Amino acid sequence: MKSNYNDIIDIILTLIDDEEIASSIAVSGSIVPYIISNKESFEYHTDFYILVKEKKIKMVRDKIKKLSKEYQLDIVSDSKRYSKEDYGFKIKYENTTVGFFPYSLIDNNFSVKTYGLNKYNMEVRLKTKIIPNVTKSSIIRLTKFTNDKTLRIMSPEFILADKEAREKEPGNPTKETMRLLNNLSDESVLKVIRESVGNTRIKVQTRKLKENNTILIIILLSLIILLITIAYICFKK
């Protein structure tokens, strides 16, 4: 499959044009070392995702809905349709799907919520991953992106440690990606992050794929009440 590097750059440029979005997100995945190195990637990056401050996830979702009217940033999946809690949403641009997942960092505990749909089994998996003993400076960095803009990214140490921990899972940490990550990582920081990632706690909830139809139910109930009221008025006449 041909490289989606240009598509990813287009997505990022569109997002960080909005300062409120730019300050609320952190780009992650195998694209990061290429961004830091200002090097074009010839890979197809299937693991490109964006972490969003948990308190800002609704704002980012609402703004992307507005952006979709002008750009091809269509929301193709949303955890809010299946859960009262927010586990993020996914968009598609050209042939690239991007997950936007909420994160928080409280008392050095880094928490990320993600979700996945299994339409074959009609299930949704809601996952909360908690990585202990990490500092903000060790996992989130600023890097120059364009002449006048900076980009919040997950650190190369975090991405490398995460990929090492999930080396048997499908994905695309190619040799070139791993080489770049190793070259960009600080060994002392990497050692600490590896230990923290090794102590990750994961909580998974599996639910049947049933959409959250609260709004529809409210509308139907309102219509029923309206019909009963009209019938009562007509009956009194």
Side-chain angles (χ1 to χ4, degrees), residues 39-63:
K39 179 180 179 181
E40 183 176 355
S41 169
F42 298 100
E43 302 175 23
Y44 183 87
H45 297 269
T46 60
D47 63 340
F48 171 48
Y49 63 97
I50 293 173
L51 297 184
V52 184
K53 293 177 182 177
E54 191 164 28
K55 292 181 180 179
K56 300 291 185 177
I57 188 76
K58 182 181 184 301
M59 176 273 293
V60 171
R61 178 189 281 105
D62 291 343
K63 289 204 170 194

Side-chain angles (χ1 to χ4, degrees), residues 79-113:
S79 68
K80 290 296 287 179
R81 296 175 65 187
Y82 311 104
S83 169
K84 291 181 180 179
E85 289 187 62
D86 200 334
Y87 285 78
F89 59 95
K90 297 175 184 179
I91 70 168
K92 189 171 184 180
Y93 174 77
E94 299 295 341
N95 292 315
T96 298
T97 301
V98 191
F100 289 74
F101 304 119
Y103 80 88
S104 63
L105 183 56
I106 302 172
D107 297 330
N108 290 344
N109 286 308
F110 181 59
S111 175
V112 180
K113 292 180 179 178

Side-chain angles (χ1 to χ4, degrees), residues 126-183:
L126 308 172
K127 182 192 289 188
T128 303
K129 181 164 65 174
I130 301 171
I131 303 174
N133 304 319
V134 293
T135 60
K136 182 180 177 180
S137 61
S138 67
I139 60 171
I140 298 177
R141 307 273 174 81
L142 282 175
T143 190
K144 186 176 180 181
F145 188 63
T146 61
N147 291 333
D148 60 340
K149 292 192 181 289
T150 57
L151 178 68
R152 294 177 86 243
I153 57 169
M154 299 308 294
S155 71
E157 293 88 357
F158 174 80
I159 295 171
L160 179 57
D162 184 58
K163 288 192 174 299
E164 288 173 342
R166 297 187 295 142
E167 62 179 349
K168 293 182 180 179
E169 294 182 17
N172 64 333
T174 63
K175 289 182 179 179
E176 176 62 9
T177 296
M178 297 301 278
R179 184 187 69 80
L180 286 172
L181 286 170
N182 271 293
N183 289 343

Side-chain angles (χ1 to χ4, degrees), residues 217-235:
I217 292 170
I218 292 171
I219 293 172
L220 289 173
L221 286 173
S222 299
L223 286 172
I224 291 170
I225 292 170
L226 179 62
L227 289 171
I228 291 172
T229 303
I230 293 171
Y232 176 73
I233 293 171
C234 291
F235 179 75

